[in-house]
Amino acid sequence: MSSAALSFTVEVRSDALPDDQREAVLANPGFGKTFTDHMVLATWSAGPGWHDAKVTAYGPLSLFPSAAVLHYGQEIFEGMKAYRHADGSVWTFRPEANAARFARSARRLALPELSQRDFTESLKALVSTDEKWVPAGDAGEASLYLRPFMFASEAFLGMRPAAEVTYCVIASPAGPYFAGGLKPVSIWLSTEYTRAAPGGTGVAKCGGNYAASMIALVEAADNGCDQVAFLDAVERKWVEELGGMNLFFVQSDGTIVTPELTGTILEGVTRSSIIELAQDLGHKVDERRVSIDEWRDGVAGGEITEVFACGTAAVVTPVGRLAWQGGSVVIGDHDVNGGVGSVTASIRQSLLDVQYGRAADSRGWLTRLV
Ligand code: COI
């Protein structure tokens, strides 16, 4: 593993998307559909470590069909955003937390670690090159979604950690994650499938976890739901998370509960930020196990007044309904308040206010990119 700091050379493409076409994309970006003009690439080889770090034209990667990632799924990723503040500057949120999780994921997947410095520098290099792709901050929750990832690019079919690995960062202008914008989503409870088991990769942000949750997402859609919730793999009793988001429960006394980290739940950066912000707003926050019966009965009996999901992509998203084979419950306050319960709305607002520079960044969560 190389410890020398990487230097990202910049190869600016001459055929960048014309301004008017880029502005048309930024006016209605959706989520994850369009990508900026450039991307970051770096290579790791056993021995020399990280090298050939650059910003280059966004485009297809050249891989041999024997590349190990295509067979064994040795891959990890992160999700982050670049936010434009009112003065035009561009910032990202807690990159050191994403860098640390990326390093933990790398260790779990037997991939090489990238230093926190190189991780953050790669974001700065890409976002400063593609700065024009960062949407204006006054446009709702528009941002430039950043997707750093790393995969086994070695052309080799033997079962061992790859001796050649590619690191890449791509960027995509983003509006709300859910096509319907900010409105409560419905959740399907998966009882047949689990996402992660003790000792497995649930705590790592690796593609395999998301691949394993797709079938349950299809089941959710077949049952008219937007997202799927997973229970623990051992007792099939404890609420873990959605396929790509953590969950919070607001109780009638104002306490906010979120499933504790068990080693099978992804440690969301948004999740940990909300735990702190909710306390600033005067809420008691409990990290503990939450059973599916507590969720169902709590909603039905009024002890749970709001439920929300969170993640970088979806920010804070109200959950309006939980459905399962044979039943469903509607989660009251989100409907009563015209879509979003008041606690969910205030937490969402306080998070966005920090991210967009409208509130003081008292914890030093923001890093300037441009
Ligand atoms: C994110 O919230 O950034 C994620 O990584 C979730 C992704 C599946 C959209």
Side-chain angles (χ1 to χ4, degrees):
M1 190 179 311
S2 170
S3 57
L6 284 175
S7 156
F8 293 85
T9 56
V10 181
E11 301 169 352
V12 176
R13 70 191 297 172
S14 53
D15 58 346
L17 200 68
D19 288 351
D20 56 337
Q21 290 181 38
R22 188 190 59 250
E23 289 306 324
V25 171
L26 293 184
N28 187 15
F31 184 88
K33 294 186 304 192
T34 37
F35 300 89
T36 63
D37 295 310
H38 297 88
M39 63 183 176
V40 161
L41 283 177
T43 306
W44 178 90
S45 312
W50 288 108
H51 55 91
D52 288 337
K54 60 182 176 185
V55 175
T56 190
Y58 174 86
L61 297 170
S62 172
L63 279 184
F64 283 105
S66 50
V69 66
L70 301 178
H71 304 272
Y72 310 127
Q74 198 191 1
E75 186 267 357
I76 57 171
F77 67 97
E78 277 299 322
M80 307 173 68
K81 281 176 173 171
Y83 307 92
R84 193 180 290 283
H85 287 190
D87 66 357
S89 58
V90 179
W91 302 72
T92 195
F93 186 69
R94 304 187 70 184
E96 59 294 327
N98 291 86
R101 187 173 65 186
F102 200 53
R104 291 197 300 277
S105 299
R107 284 198 289 278
R108 180 61 184 84
L109 273 286
L111 284 162
E113 288 177 41
L114 187 72
S115 73
Q116 181 183 315
R117 182 211 166 273
D118 290 342
F119 182 87
T120 304
E121 284 306 308
S122 72
L123 307 179
K124 284 185 180 162
L126 180 59
V127 176
S128 55
T129 308
D130 281 338
E131 200 239 317
K132 289 182 181 163
W133 284 88
V134 183
D138 53 7
E141 59 176 82
S143 64
L144 184 64
Y145 186 78
L146 305 174
R147 174 55 64 87
F149 60 107
M150 188 195 288
F151 59 92
S153 44
E154 185 187 8
F156 178 60
L157 292 184
M159 257 301 286
R160 61 151 169 72
E164 189 194 286
V165 168
T166 299
Y167 172 68
C168 186
V169 190
I170 55 176
S172 175
Y177 181 71
F178 291 102
L182 179 61
K183 67 175 179 52
V185 294
S186 50
I187 304 285
W188 175 253
L189 177 68
S190 176
T191 47
E192 185 174 356
Y193 306 107
T194 58
R195 177 187 164 275
T201 57
V203 76
K205 201 163 174 69
C206 62
N209 292 341
Y210 295 78
S213 74
M214 296 290 181
I215 190 170
L217 202 52
V218 171
E219 190 182 271
D222 288 346
N223 285 279
C225 292
D226 303 304
Q227 278 290 317
V228 60
F230 291 100
L231 299 176
D232 75 288
V234 178
E235 295 179 70
R236 304 287 184 108
K237 172 177 179 180
W238 306 104
V239 178
E240 297 231 303
E241 60 172 281
L242 307 185
M245 281 172 268
N246 296 117
L247 276 168
F248 282 81
F249 301 88
V250 181
Q251 297 181 336
S252 53
D253 67 355
T255 302
I256 297 179
V257 182
T258 191
E260 68 185 0
L261 300 173
T262 53
T264 53
I265 296 179
L266 190 81
E267 190 176 347
V269 176
T270 311
R271 173 188 179 279
S272 74
S273 308
I274 286 173
I275 289 172
E276 294 195 42
L277 291 173
Q279 286 166 333
D280 291 354
L281 292 169
H283 296 279
K284 179 170 177 292
V285 180
D286 279 350
E287 290 180 76
R288 62 168 172 80
R289 296 206 291 184
V290 178
S291 73
I292 187 59
D293 288 341
E294 180 180 354
W295 182 354
R296 271 196 285 235
D297 298 347
V299 167
E303 293 87 26
I304 294 175
T305 52
E306 298 175 33
V307 179
F308 63 86
C310 72
T312 299
V315 196
V316 170
T317 296
V319 174
R321 196 166 69 94
L322 172 69
W324 59 91
Q325 208 67 57
S328 70
V329 278
V330 170
I331 301 159
D333 277 13
H334 288 312
D335 292 329
V336 170
N337 290 320
V340 185
S342 59
V343 176
T344 302
S346 69
I347 288 174
R348 180 185 153 80
Q349 194 59 48
S350 61
L351 177 63
L352 289 171
D353 283 349
V354 175
Q355 292 172 332
Y356 284 92
R358 297 186 294 251
D361 176 25
S362 55
R363 294 182 175 84
W365 278 346
L366 297 181
T367 290
R368 187 163 181 176
L369 295 175
V370 187

